[in-house]
Amino acid sequence: HHRRCGVRRHGQGLRRKARQRKARDIFLFSCYTGMAYSDIIRLRKENILAHSREKRFLRFHVSKSTLLYSFPLLDAPYDILKKYRGLQENGELLPVLPLPAINYDLQNVCAAAGIKKSVTLSCARKTFAFVVAPENGITASMLTGIYNEHNR
């Protein structure tokens, strides 16, 4: 009986770690793209436009609006998408986890890393706006539309 319980606990631990990795990847993808949760879960293959092997764009309609948003897809978020290619059942490009589960898992990942600050998926969008976008030539005017639409 004790062995079986130990196996069950070990299996739950592995599933928890796998879900935490997925939450981390979704967080990082949002850091690199500025995308909100509602847009990430709707992301499909047709949202990736390749002009060449090195130049890709992410193009999508911002949820709850008619705004079509298009910007360069950096290598780091593209690598995250490649990691999950073909693994989702309904054509999503990333795992679809409930937002409360993502935020819960992010807290655990941060705690394990010794980060005491409360980190949620919305923090990723701020990181994109203030750090990633300016460093990659994504202008404030390009960001205005997506952030204004989501903050209505």
Side-chain angles (χ1 to χ4, degrees):
H1 176 69
H2 291 293
R3 257 189 229 166
R4 224 174 67 219
C5 290
V7 169
R8 183 178 299 139
R9 266 196 303 266
H10 180 68
Q12 289 169 342
L14 291 176
R15 282 191 298 277
R16 184 174 50 251
K17 292 281 188 203
R19 197 178 81 182
Q20 287 175 352
R21 279 193 297 277
K22 290 174 184 176
R24 178 204 60 207
D25 288 344
I26 292 167
F27 177 82
L28 290 173
F29 186 82
S30 184
C31 283
Y32 286 115
T33 64
M35 291 181 74
Y37 173 78
S38 57
D39 295 320
I40 289 173
I41 62 173
R42 294 183 306 110
L43 201 57
R44 301 291 185 275
K45 185 170 68 173
E46 45 279 359
N47 297 113
I48 310 297
L49 304 175
H51 289 274
S52 68
R53 234 179 146 78
E54 296 82 31
K55 196 159 183 130
R56 292 173 294 274
F57 287 84
L58 193 54
R59 187 175 182 159
F60 62 96
H61 282 279
V62 175
S63 62
K64 302 178 187 170
S65 82
T66 57
L67 177 70
L68 182 62
Y69 187 56
S70 183
F71 63 93
L73 180 60
L74 304 173
D75 289 339
Y78 184 67
D79 289 343
I80 293 170
L81 292 177
K82 287 192 305 190
K83 179 178 178 179
Y84 293 101
R85 185 180 294 154
L87 298 178
Q88 311 318 308
E89 292 178 14
N90 297 315
E92 298 95 352
L93 293 181
L94 290 169
V96 176
L97 302 172
L99 183 57
I102 292 170
N103 288 332
Y104 175 80
D105 287 334
L106 288 174
Q107 296 306 314
N108 289 327
V109 168
C110 288
I115 299 169
K116 295 184 181 4
K117 184 179 183 340
S118 177
V119 175
T120 64
L121 192 56
S122 66
C123 297
R125 298 185 75 218
K126 293 174 187 162
T127 299
F128 175 76
F130 294 109
V131 179
V132 176
E135 289 179 359
N136 288 282
I138 299 170
T139 65
S141 63
M142 293 170 77
L143 297 176
T144 302
I146 188 170
Y147 284 94
N148 285 343
E149 291 295 332
H150 274 288
N151 292 328
R152 283 187 177 176

